[in-house]
Amino acid sequence: MVEKPLVPLSAISWVGSGLKRPECVLTTAKGEIFVGDHEAGIAEIGKAKRTLVGAPPGFVPNGVAMRPDRQFLIANLGPGGGLWRLDHDWRLWPELFEVEGEALRVCNFVGLDADHNEWISVSTRQYPRERAMKPDFGDGFIVRRDKHGARIVAGDLAYTNECHVDPSGQWLWVNETFGSRITRFPITRHGLGRREVMHEFGPGELPDGFAFDAEGAAWVACVVSNRVIRIETNGRRTLILDDSDQDVVDRAEAQYQRGLGGREGLEGGATRSLKNIASVAFGGPDLKTVYLGCLNGTGVVSFPSPIAGAEPVQWHW
């Protein structure tokens, strides 16, 4: 059965310009749209980029989060990795580089929950990270940092990507990119419970970032296929948006299955109009506008949603 996307490509538009790898998007009730940016660390759509101070060589802003004081946390996917803080003067400060003897070298994402706990994903212990881009391999892990300190709360993940606490506050959902699945963990007093697979994605549907809607479903950006797929809490999927090229998807899947561990197949999605989408955020006055970060565009994709998003944790900060 061929899936028909809920939203046609004709509905999309672009916001922002001159951005460099706007992988992660954050929105607020004030109408602000912040994105990660290789030059500025963080850029705000509609405003001039600020000058980043104190960036280490090869700094690659990947996942980003806003703190209640409106400073930003940035996961560095570049050499050295680690979690960094961007202050109000646009100066970077080192925050966290090692937990329980494990280096946060391939630090992919950071997110906050309603209690301001930080959830940090480390995609792999391998370096370069391309060594982990193969089937049946998982050495990624998740760190929780709270008032008691930082500790590893989950491991053996197949290239850990974005992780978010769901609107109920009871579950941590995680994209395992090269496991081609989205999973979740119950949040307990002691950390996380047993992992539950919510959905196994199809060939070439490598899940990267995601966001929750008001009904508790996850909207997942699949990086190679340029698809947005909605996953409900019962695992049911709905194709929201599709800008895939079957030849590109087939080549990327074949490379992945052979365990070649390179990025050539991943970059094929850049030839499409959505430019390798990598994250999802809901915004607008009614949270019915979707924004998609991407790896290879200079702006952010936007389209109207038939379903409102859940309020992101930074919405009223």
Side-chain angles (χ1 to χ4, degrees):
M1 181 179 175
V2 177
E3 292 178 290
K4 182 178 180 181
L6 191 64
V7 176
L9 284 173
S10 59
I12 73 166
S13 58
W14 288 83
V15 296
S17 61
L19 303 175
K20 189 172 182 181
R21 198 176 183 271
E23 199 273 351
C24 197
V25 183
L26 299 173
T27 61
T28 72
K30 300 175 183 178
E32 299 162 313
I33 306 169
F34 297 99
V35 298
D37 181 88
H38 272 212
E39 296 173 337
I42 299 286
E44 184 179 351
I45 299 293
K47 293 189 177 181
K49 289 185 183 181
R50 298 182 64 176
T51 301
L52 183 63
V53 179
F59 186 62
V60 179
N62 205 66
V64 300
M66 182 188 287
R67 300 196 328 182
D69 61 4
R70 291 178 68 87
Q71 296 186 69
F72 292 92
L73 295 173
I74 302 177
N76 175 27
L77 201 56
L83 183 67
W84 296 74
R85 174 173 54 87
L86 182 67
D87 69 15
H88 298 126
D89 295 321
W90 243 244
R91 181 179 294 274
L92 276 173
W93 299 93
E95 279 281 312
L96 187 67
F97 285 82
E98 184 178 291
V99 177
E100 298 177 5
E102 294 281 1
L104 310 187
R105 192 167 189 183
V106 186
C107 195
N108 188 300
F109 181 77
V110 57
L112 271 65
D113 63 23
D115 295 319
H116 306 167
N117 303 309
E118 298 164 12
W119 300 87
I120 304 157
S121 72
V122 178
S123 294
T124 178
R125 294 172 170 87
Q126 305 298 306
Y127 194 84
R129 65 185 185 274
E130 285 80 7
R131 292 176 179 173
M133 297 178 179
K134 55 188 177 182
D136 304 318
F137 183 84
D139 69 345
F141 57 95
I142 294 172
V143 171
R144 171 177 162 141
R145 186 167 72 158
D146 55 29
K147 62 183 179 182
H148 302 295
R151 62 192 186 279
I152 296 173
V153 291
D156 301 323
L157 297 165
Y159 206 89
T160 330
N161 214 301
E162 283 200 18
C163 57
H164 295 281
V165 174
D166 78 341
S168 75
Q170 299 177 5
W171 299 87
L172 180 77
W173 290 51
V174 184
N175 271 337
E176 297 183 65
T177 298
F178 290 98
S180 196
R181 59 181 173 257
I182 186 168
T183 57
R184 71 177 185 178
F185 297 84
I187 299 173
T188 70
R189 287 189 301 172
H190 305 291
L192 298 177
R194 181 174 297 181
R195 176 171 52 180
E196 175 183 351
V197 176
M198 298 304 296
H199 184 73
E200 299 270 5
F201 292 92
E205 292 179 344
L206 299 179
D208 195 324
F210 70 100
F212 292 105
D213 66 27
E215 298 175 4
W219 289 45
V220 181
C222 295
V223 64
V224 175
S225 60
N226 284 304
R227 291 181 182 134
V228 178
I229 301 171
R230 181 178 187 257
I231 307 299
E232 299 177 36
T233 54
N234 60 7
R236 179 177 176 237
R237 68 179 267 159
T238 302
L239 182 61
I240 301 294
L241 191 68
D242 186 1
D243 186 31
S244 59
D245 180 313
Q246 194 59 50
D247 288 341
V248 167
V249 169
D250 290 345
R251 285 198 300 271
E253 181 66 18
Q255 180 177 345
Y256 163 65
Q257 291 296 337
R258 292 197 301 270
L260 298 182
R263 292 188 54 83
E264 181 182 350
L266 295 180
E267 297 299 329
T271 62
R272 306 295 293 174
S273 60
L274 296 190
K275 300 297 182 184
N276 267 346
I277 55 171
S279 68
V280 181
F282 288 90
D286 54 3
L287 284 163
K288 281 192 170 184
T289 302
V290 175
Y291 298 99
L292 304 177
C294 62
L295 301 183
N296 291 283
T298 57
V300 171
V301 171
S302 172
F303 64 88
S305 170
I307 303 170
E311 284 191 2
V313 65
Q314 76 280 350
W315 189 242
H316 294 294
W317 292 349

